[in-house]
Amino acid sequence: MSVTFASEFPKRTQRSKALFERAKLTIPGGAGSTARMPRNGWNPYPLFMEQGQGSRITDVDGNEYVDYLLGLGPGILGHRNPTVTDAVVRAIQEHGTSFGLPYELEIEASEKVVAAVPGVEQVRFANSGSEAVGQAVRLARATTGRRLIVRFEGLYHGWQDSVYWSNHVDLDRAGPADRPRPVAMGLGVPAELGDTLIVLTWNDFDSFSALMRERGEEIAAVITEPAVLNTGCILPEPGYLELLRSETEKAGAMLIFDEVITGFRIARGGAHEYYGVIPDLTTYAKGIGGGFPVAAIGGTKEAMRLIADGTYSHSGTYNANVVQCAAVSATMDLLAEPGLYERQRALGERLATGLEGIANDNGIDAYVTGLGTVFQLWFADGPVKNWRDAVAQTREGEFTRWYEEMVVRGVLFHPLQFENLFVSLVHDDRDIDDTLNAAADSMKVLASEFGRK
């Protein structure tokens, strides 16, 4: 069977290629984020987009795609949700954009977030997930008077120096699984900050318990995604989040949930609701604004007390601007629709199980891990429970070939195995059917290329 991608992609995306060459003249690397460049999987060049509507997106060459990238997660309500868009436009027309002072819409938005999330009693709005995580980590140090932060391999908590460590790390540099070494993930991160971090293997009960017995009184906070969504999709083993909660409480350390991706996506109350584990602090972005740029840090009143009395400065000119708060308020209203998450999780599960079945029917070893509205199809030779398993077990090249065959058939998601497919709350059965039909054809290509059926 012929290889579709190599022949079809250049023909289908001529204007994207031309725009990429033009962009490189004035934009470093040709894109506004390193995550959109060829070195991050978008080969031979990224698609340039024209517009998105609902669950579909169209590139500058006129190709339409069922969109499971969704801006890397923010498009929880699809593209250009009319309710949220109208609320933002109306707020700008009636109020303005940014005052540098509080206003009532900010209260309204915060009240709705607090009402949605169990255990969150107060919230401050910010501008990016990285910013919110950096604030949460520093606030934990300020609150506890301690300096050590515990984080886990394979999890990405943004680009700030304090947490930009041990993400997709070279295991030769990281050392043994029971006590990994912190490894800075980018140039310019001061090596001295490694002494403020303890890195562990995720889903390893024994190493975490041992650390807390030995050094619990030195630890300011443990930060984790409640489900790892920055190395594909890796779910917590039963009891693991509960262990993190109980051990941090015993040690007087804080537990921080990075819900930049899981927040408002897996349930209206995020991981708090879905897993029933309540951390001290939680960071949000992506889904909280229905596609608009907004982030937040939330927590109990006790966890937020230093912000509340001004002892800790959480500042930002654009914090809680009108666009953000209008988007959050409208999004929270839409997410309150009865049965919405149950319906869309079931839709996502139909897609996920369908993809797994098609792969297996073609003799391809692949399986799905997910939470309904976000999942990954692992091309793997065994179970993936942490970053080290992902390195050892996955066949990344096969996944990328699958992406290539899907994108020329009108289905878009991230080309790398260690990302995810996002299902919005507006995808429908037609989207799922179109995707499964494309998968049936693309898996036949993979089976032929990789020596299976």
Side-chain angles (χ1 to χ4, degrees):
M1 186 174 292
S2 62
V3 177
T4 308
F5 181 78
S7 59
E8 290 299 316
F9 190 78
K11 288 191 294 185
R12 288 168 53 93
T13 60
Q14 294 179 49
R15 188 149 184 255
S16 279
K17 180 180 180 180
L19 286 176
F20 183 55
E21 295 302 318
R22 174 184 166 194
K24 286 190 290 185
L25 298 175
T26 54
I27 303 171
S33 168
T34 301
R36 302 168 199 162
M37 291 167 56
R39 64 174 294 161
N40 282 74
W42 299 105
N43 288 305
Y45 44 83
L47 293 168
F48 279 67
M49 291 302 161
E50 182 71 30
Q51 62 90 26
Q53 185 67 54
S55 61
R56 306 223 170 191
I57 195 167
T58 305
D59 68 22
V60 292
D61 290 282
N63 303 303
E64 182 183 84
Y65 306 89
V66 183
D67 186 13
Y68 299 105
L69 184 68
L70 294 178
L72 293 173
I76 191 169
L77 296 170
H79 298 279
R80 286 192 288 178
N81 180 275
T83 299
V84 180
T85 302
D86 289 350
V88 170
V89 170
R90 186 169 61 253
I92 293 172
Q93 291 173 334
E94 294 179 359
H95 303 298
T97 55
S98 186
F99 303 121
L101 287 167
Y103 57 105
E104 189 172 2
L105 182 57
E106 178 184 357
I107 305 172
E108 178 183 300
S110 65
E111 287 173 341
K112 291 178 181 180
V113 171
V114 168
V117 184
V120 168
E121 296 176 324
Q122 293 186 330
V123 64
R124 274 280 187 95
F125 296 114
N127 299 286
S128 76
S130 292
E131 175 195 335
V133 169
Q135 291 282 10
V137 166
R138 196 166 58 143
L139 178 59
R141 288 187 169 124
T143 300
T144 62
R146 304 171 182 178
R147 66 192 291 269
L148 290 179
I149 301 295
V150 178
R151 57 150 300 145
F152 301 91
E153 286 182 334
L155 283 70
Y156 173 71
H157 299 296
W159 44 256
Q160 293 208 7
D161 289 354
S162 59
V163 290
Y164 193 39
W165 294 75
S166 299
N167 178 24
H168 292 170
V169 61
D170 181 344
L171 296 183
D172 290 336
R173 298 175 64 197
D178 59 343
R179 285 297 167 89
R181 291 187 292 269
V183 178
M185 295 310 299
L187 300 175
V189 176
E192 295 84 353
L193 289 176
D195 293 335
T196 70
L197 296 169
I198 297 174
V199 177
L200 294 177
T201 299
W202 208 68
N203 266 333
D204 185 333
F205 288 69
D206 292 341
S207 66
F208 182 75
S209 296
L211 171 68
M212 298 305 289
R213 285 195 304 270
E214 296 168 15
R215 305 189 67 181
E217 293 183 355
E218 302 174 60
I219 293 167
V222 174
I223 183 168
T224 185
E225 292 181 274
V228 180
L229 296 175
N230 279 290
T231 295
C233 183
I234 306 175
L235 305 184
E237 292 289 287
Y240 188 65
L241 296 181
E242 289 82 356
L243 176 69
L244 302 186
R245 178 67 284 181
S246 64
E247 291 295 319
T248 49
E249 284 182 337
K250 284 192 292 185
M254 301 182 82
L255 178 61
I256 303 170
F257 273 3
D258 179 349
E259 287 219 58
V260 166
I261 300 179
T262 56
F264 308 100
R265 166 160 290 286
I266 62 176
R268 181 167 175 256
H272 294 218
E273 175 187 332
Y274 193 88
Y275 287 112
V277 177
I278 308 299
D280 301 286
L281 293 169
T282 305
T283 59
Y284 298 104
K286 300 189 188 282
I288 193 172
F292 283 85
V294 56
I297 176 173
T300 63
K301 288 182 179 179
E302 173 61 21
M304 302 289 276
R305 62 183 170 80
L306 296 184
I307 294 180
D309 66 18
T311 305
Y312 176 93
S313 177
H314 173 247
S315 303
T317 298
Y318 297 109
N319 288 1
N321 65 67
V322 172
V323 172
Q324 290 179 345
C325 292
V328 171
S329 179
T331 298
M332 291 301 108
D333 288 346
L334 290 173
L335 300 187
E337 177 188 335
L340 175 63
Y341 283 93
E342 291 79 4
R343 182 184 74 229
Q344 293 307 108
R345 280 198 294 263
L347 196 74
E349 287 163 5
R350 180 166 86 85
L351 173 61
T353 57
L355 292 174
E356 181 179 296
I358 292 168
N360 295 164
D361 288 346
N362 282 276
I364 297 169
D365 291 330
Y367 70 91
V368 163
T369 301
L371 296 160
T373 57
V374 56
F375 66 88
Q376 184 55 295
L377 179 65
W378 288 103
F379 287 69
D381 298 323
V384 177
K385 297 182 179 181
N386 52 54
W387 168 244
R388 293 180 182 239
D389 287 345
V391 172
Q393 302 285 6
T394 57
R395 307 185 305 278
E396 296 180 62
E398 286 187 39
F399 181 90
T400 297
R401 278 295 294 122
W402 180 54
Y403 154 79
E404 291 173 348
E405 291 304 313
M406 290 293 279
V407 77
V408 296
R409 291 172 171 82
V411 178
L412 179 67
F413 49 86
H414 201 286
L416 298 185
Q417 173 73 91
F418 299 147
E419 296 288 343
N420 293 284
L421 281 76
F422 294 101
V423 177
S424 78
L425 300 180
V426 298
H427 276 88
D428 59 22
D429 283 310
R430 181 173 72 96
D431 296 320
I432 306 306
D433 291 340
D434 288 349
T435 304
L436 294 177
N437 287 334
D441 291 336
S442 66
M443 289 295 181
K444 291 177 184 177
V445 175
L446 265 65
S448 173
E449 288 186 10
F450 293 97
R452 296 180 176 87
K453 281 188 179 180

